Amino acid sequence: MRCSEIMNILETLSPVAFAEKWDNVGLLVGRRDKTVHKVMLALDATDDVVEQAVLQGADLLLTHHPLLFSPIKRITEDDFVGRRLYKLIRNDICYYAMHTNFDVMGMADAAADAMELLNPEVLDVTYEDEIANEGIGRIGRLSGKMSLSETAELCKKAFSIHSVRIYGDPASEIETVAIVPGSGKDYINTAILKQADVLITGDIGHHNGIDAVEQGLAVIDAGHYGIEKLFVTYMEDFFADQIPELLVLKASQNEPFYIL
């Protein structure tokens, strides 16, 4: 199957038009007419992931986070971005990124489903037309009221993570949950305005957390990677259903840090 044909299928799932203006999604490296037999999935195009793609003979590397955000003036092995790009080009590997367009059409619903939220709605609308409103994050109700600590345990189980950070009284009552996979500190005020009891997200700083609690919003920081790694399993299932003839590989990738 041609890379361009795969792109059409991916962009039916997560249209490029849903991406934020600052984002950089779509085909970032490679030939549209490249014949693709093997696809490698990963959250990030790190040195190690690109090397895995080369060693396993992948024709297409598909990640959530784009390797390229800003224009570059040269592609050499003198810096880490150029090194990765050079290796992809040299080995004729196409590279495609699905970032905020997937956050809107894919990631948010998958995260809400994992938490078994009832009647989830868009938390922050970023795209509107005559058919629907779409956007970042979801807000919905738990199947029953539970404590903040119980909600955190549910989050750990839902996303298969070992630990979370909690801001707020562990015994406080939770019913309405806002969830923003990735970095969600910018959505704290939105979650408060929509009367969420807790925001589940990642990359919460010290002041973000304590200020949210002062305004009546608990926060569960499940980590950026902790929630967004569901991209890989989601896309694995998507390919199995939509393009079963492709061989889909999952890069070996873990949390980018250790807790001692």
Side-chain angles (χ1 to χ4, degrees):
M1 177 176 281
R2 302 284 186 186
C3 179
S4 58
E5 296 175 287
I6 297 172
M7 289 169 56
N8 289 336
I9 295 171
L10 295 177
E11 290 169 15
T12 298
L13 168 67
S14 302
V16 172
F18 289 152
E20 298 279 7
K21 292 180 180 180
W22 51 263
D23 204 1
N24 191 29
V25 302
L27 184 66
L28 304 186
V29 174
R31 300 181 289 115
R32 292 174 182 269
D33 64 349
K34 162 84 174 179
T35 298
V36 176
H37 299 288
K38 291 183 182 180
V39 178
M40 175 164 283
L41 305 174
L43 192 66
D44 298 282
T46 62
D47 280 354
D48 183 57
V49 165
V50 171
E51 182 66 16
Q52 290 179 57
V54 172
L55 292 177
Q56 297 191 46
D59 303 300
L60 171 65
L61 173 61
L62 175 63
T63 70
H64 180 49
H65 297 133
L67 174 58
L68 290 168
F69 272 111
S70 303
I72 60 173
K73 295 184 177 181
R74 60 184 60 86
I75 299 176
T76 70
E77 293 187 302
D78 295 336
D79 67 89
F80 72 98
V81 174
R83 181 171 62 243
R84 297 172 195 174
L85 294 173
Y86 178 70
K87 184 171 288 188
L88 289 167
I89 294 169
R90 185 180 64 187
N91 289 278
D92 195 20
I93 298 173
C94 293
Y95 171 52
Y96 191 96
M98 302 170 67
H99 192 209
T100 52
N101 55 325
F102 182 77
D103 286 338
V104 171
M105 297 297 289
M107 184 81 78
D109 284 328
D113 289 345
M115 285 296 295
E116 300 181 349
L117 298 185
L118 303 177
N119 304 315
E121 299 178 351
V122 175
L123 178 65
D124 184 54
V125 175
T126 58
Y127 183 94
E128 296 181 78
D129 60 22
E130 62 279 4
I131 299 175
N133 295 337
E134 300 294 346
I136 301 296
R138 295 294 183 266
I139 184 169
R141 292 183 296 103
L142 296 169
S143 58
K145 293 180 180 180
M146 58 180 66
S147 68
L148 177 57
S149 61
E150 290 171 332
T151 307
E153 290 294 339
L154 176 62
C155 177
K156 287 166 57 180
K157 181 179 179 181
F159 300 108
S160 300
I161 49 184
H162 298 296
S163 63
V164 297
R165 291 193 300 159
I166 302 173
Y167 294 88
D169 180 357
S172 61
E173 189 175 83
I174 302 297
E175 182 175 23
T176 303
V177 175
I179 185 163
V180 178
S183 182
K185 60 182 179 293
D186 292 337
Y187 299 93
I188 286 175
N189 289 339
T190 304
I192 292 170
L193 288 172
K194 294 201 171 182
Q195 299 182 322
D197 299 314
V198 64
L199 171 64
I200 299 174
T201 189
D203 296 347
I204 292 295
H206 171 79
H207 296 290
N208 305 136
I210 61 175
D211 289 351
V213 172
E214 288 294 326
Q215 297 175 84
L217 178 71
V219 178
I220 296 174
D221 188 334
H224 199 125
Y225 176 84
I227 300 177
E228 288 200 327
K229 68 178 184 291
L230 65 81
F231 170 79
V232 173
T233 53
Y234 185 104
M235 293 309 303
E236 182 183 29
D237 292 341
F238 179 80
F239 277 112
D241 180 63
Q242 297 293 319
I243 323 177
E245 63 268 29
L246 291 180
L247 176 60
V248 178
L249 312 168
K250 294 189 295 183
S252 175
Q253 199 167 24
N254 298 305
E255 282 277 13
F257 59 85
Y258 298 96
I259 298 176
L260 297 179

